[in-house]
Amino acid sequence: MKKLTLLTVGLLFGLCALGQQVTTDIFTATAPSGAAKLTGQALQDYVHSNYKKTLVPSNQEDTYLADGVIVCFWGLPAGTVKSKPLEEMQTRMVEVLQKNNTVNYARIETINNTRFLIYEFESDGEAYIRYRSDPNSKEQTLNGIIQFKATDKDKARRDLKGLLAGMHFKEQ
């Protein structure tokens, strides 16, 4: 109860990110409407109180809590990872995930002229949507993960749709 109170107080004092526009050296995006920004400790506290585990990285600046759904996104600069075609990544991710998880779907979608590999899966009773873009002309990629309860699947999918619709590379 004490942790929940601290989390609530922390969220109320300035962490609210109502439709906050996010701009980095790699991309611009809009956080889900009504979302509260989560820092590393607040994220850990929320996960500990509401989930068995998380695959959401605690070191990402753009992590939000939107009506019980954790939304995290980041850009990777050129040279960070070796880029493979999304089709190859899709095949490999499904093979790996199906060994110990339930894969609900894996597909490639084009949104705002950017192709994304998007896959939804369940791991140890927790539900996730993960995505990664094709690299842009500078070999940068857009990445993210959403964690949610299975009952919040529709909310998570709406958050994903809105996030990707508002996410753009900064090509300058």
Side-chain angles (χ1 to χ4, degrees):
M1 184 65 168
K2 196 176 212 179
K3 285 186 179 182
L4 182 58
T5 302
L6 289 174
L7 176 62
T8 303
V9 170
L11 292 175
L12 291 175
F13 285 104
L15 294 177
C16 195
L18 295 173
Q20 179 178 345
Q21 183 70 29
V22 176
T23 302
T24 72
D25 291 340
I26 297 173
F27 68 91
T28 61
T30 302
S33 180
K37 192 165 188 172
L38 290 177
T39 61
Q41 187 58 52
L43 171 63
Q44 295 307 318
D45 291 345
Y46 184 81
V47 166
H48 181 72
S49 298
N50 294 278
Y51 296 99
K52 292 183 245 174
K53 68 172 197 165
T54 189
L55 299 177
V56 176
S58 61
N59 63 341
Q60 294 301 325
E61 183 176 328
D62 294 309
T63 303
Y64 299 86
L65 181 61
D67 196 19
V69 175
I70 300 172
V71 178
C72 180
F73 51 92
W74 62 93
L76 288 178
T80 305
V81 294
K82 184 172 172 147
S83 197
K84 296 179 182 173
L86 292 183
E87 291 79 7
E88 183 180 327
M89 291 176 60
Q90 179 180 16
T91 300
R92 182 68 182 131
M93 288 307 303
V94 169
E95 287 173 0
V96 169
L97 286 172
Q98 283 182 333
K99 290 179 182 176
N100 299 311
N101 307 287
T102 301
V103 178
N104 297 332
Y105 67 81
R107 60 181 173 246
I108 296 172
E109 293 184 27
T110 301
I111 302 166
N112 296 327
N113 297 318
T114 301
R115 288 183 352 127
F116 289 92
L117 168 59
I118 305 167
Y119 47 98
E120 182 179 297
F121 63 100
E122 295 175 35
S123 176
D124 294 326
E126 306 297 353
Y128 301 92
I129 300 173
R130 177 77 169 86
Y131 64 88
R132 179 184 172 170
S133 73
D134 260 339
N136 66 0
S137 61
K138 296 179 182 180
E139 293 298 312
Q140 302 164 325
T141 60
L142 304 172
N143 302 267
I145 190 165
I146 298 174
Q147 182 170 0
F148 55 96
K149 298 286 186 191
T151 55
D152 290 331
K153 172 177 58 178
D154 292 337
K155 284 193 272 184
R157 289 177 179 174
R158 268 193 311 274
D159 287 344
L160 174 71
K161 184 177 179 180
L163 180 64
L164 295 183
M167 188 174 270
H168 302 278
F169 281 112
K170 288 175 65 178
E171 294 285 348
Q172 297 143 350

